[in-house]
Amino acid sequence: MAGNAAALMRGSDTIRGWGFVAPALLWTLAFFVVPFGVMAAMSLATLEGRELIWGFSFDNYARLFGQSYLLRAIMVSLEITLTVTIVSVLLAYPLAWIIAYRVPERWQRLALLLAILPFWTSYVVRSYAWLLVLSREGVINQTLMGIGLISEPLTLASTRFATVTGFVHFFVMLLTLTIYANLVQLPPNYRRAAVDLGASSWQAFRHVILPLTLPGIMTGAFLTFVLCIGDYITPQILGGNNELTGPQIIMVQLGRGANFPLAAAMSIVLMGLVTLAYLGASRWLRIDRL
């Protein structure tokens, strides 16, 4: 009887456990697994005229890697994403350090509030605001011409520089939050102990503080990578059509040519790059254990 009762309790616990997990599993299945499966199947289909032929063909991938402009768009997306990620980390770490260690504790919440203000502004509005700032008649050109540094307006808008600037403005704030969260969790005795053992301030940072904050850096960097490589709005507004990115090419295939199989293949490649970035971060910096 005792064994039967124990078995019934285990069965009840199992059913209760599945009851807690089921909503998350159903959500993941409905909004990730099924759409991804449809997109993967679509990437293996072919388009004959206007007719979609379902099958198991790698022609879309062959075309993607065989036509230079398609492959170039993927490479441009990767180059911009890596540039934005590196620049954002280099700018966000000092900002997070200042807020964590130089701003009085009673003012840190206000400093963080000011840091996340860009999140409260519409993504499209921010992009158009930067377009106005970087235009030939914008603040930067007018200021430089006013102080005599240049005689003709610089071409800043509709360039890769403009796209990177718009991205960095947004993602520096995101990285600041993740790095700050790691910095404030570090016991101050770690740094003091390193100094007591003869380490300089730079050595204490390099060998103690930086390694311990790498998980926060990589968390923000990975989120930056994911959001940046799949973004369409910022390159479209700030970059113009001088240098197309992967998402822009995907939108062209969907909007003008209705070539859903090729667009799906490009999307799968972008997701593959994101997966590689995650695997690298997870393996070397244990991002999955945060």
Side-chain angles (χ1 to χ4, degrees):
M1 295 293 293
N4 292 335
L8 289 174
M9 291 182 62
R10 287 195 298 270
S12 177
D13 290 341
T14 301
I15 294 174
R16 188 180 299 111
W18 278 108
F20 287 123
V21 174
L25 290 178
L26 292 174
W27 180 275
T28 303
L29 181 66
F31 295 101
F32 179 76
V33 176
V34 172
F36 179 79
V38 172
M39 185 171 67
M42 179 71 70
S43 71
L44 300 175
T46 56
L47 193 66
E48 296 183 1
R50 292 292 180 177
E51 184 179 0
L52 182 65
I53 307 298
W54 294 93
F56 196 80
S57 172
F58 290 95
D59 290 346
N60 296 307
Y61 294 96
R63 180 182 175 186
L64 172 59
F65 291 101
Q67 295 192 5
S68 60
Y69 80 97
L70 295 176
L71 186 59
R72 176 59 183 165
I74 299 294
M75 294 304 299
V76 167
S77 291
L78 187 59
E79 291 169 3
I80 290 176
T81 299
L82 292 176
T83 302
V84 169
T85 302
I86 293 172
V87 174
S88 297
V89 169
L90 294 177
L91 294 177
Y93 202 102
L95 179 57
W97 180 279
I98 292 172
I99 296 176
Y101 295 129
R102 294 293 181 264
V103 176
E105 188 174 351
R106 66 179 182 274
W107 297 110
Q108 288 184 10
R109 291 186 178 180
L110 177 60
L112 289 174
L113 179 64
L114 295 176
I116 65 174
L117 279 179
F119 288 100
W120 298 358
T121 308
S122 169
Y123 198 58
V124 176
V125 171
R126 284 199 306 270
S127 297
Y128 275 112
W130 272 111
L131 184 62
L132 293 175
V133 171
L134 298 173
S135 66
R136 293 180 64 86
E137 294 80 20
V139 175
I140 294 179
N141 273 317
Q142 292 300 318
T143 301
L144 293 177
M145 293 178 64
I147 61 180
L149 290 180
I150 59 175
S151 57
E152 295 290 335
L154 300 176
T155 302
L156 300 176
S158 299
T159 62
R160 182 181 295 197
F161 170 79
T163 301
V164 170
T165 300
F167 275 134
V168 168
H169 173 235
F170 178 77
F171 291 118
V172 161
M173 303 302 105
L174 177 65
L175 275 156
T176 299
L177 293 178
T178 60
I179 297 172
Y180 170 84
N182 260 200
L183 287 173
V184 295
Q185 291 175 4
L186 293 181
N189 290 334
Y190 287 1
R191 186 172 45 175
R192 296 170 186 167
V195 174
D196 289 342
L197 292 173
S200 64
S201 298
W202 165 247
Q203 289 173 328
F205 169 77
R206 178 183 176 186
H207 296 291
V208 179
I209 304 300
L210 182 59
L212 292 175
T213 55
L214 276 177
I217 295 173
M218 287 306 299
T219 300
F222 176 70
L223 292 175
T224 299
F225 188 96
V226 172
L227 296 173
C228 185
I229 200 170
D231 188 274
Y232 165 77
I233 297 297
T234 299
Q236 183 69 20
I237 296 176
L238 295 177
N241 294 318
N242 296 327
E243 192 177 41
L244 296 180
T245 62
Q248 287 177 289
I249 292 291
I250 291 174
M251 291 301 297
V252 169
Q253 298 300 324
L254 293 175
R256 298 181 183 178
N259 194 337
F260 291 91
L262 182 58
M266 295 190 68
S267 300
I268 292 294
V269 171
L270 290 179
M271 291 191 66
L273 293 175
V274 171
T275 302
L276 291 176
Y278 171 77
L279 292 176
S282 177
R283 176 180 178 182
W284 297 110
L285 295 174
R286 302 177 180 178
I287 194 172
D288 55 334
R289 299 186 185 181
L290 292 178

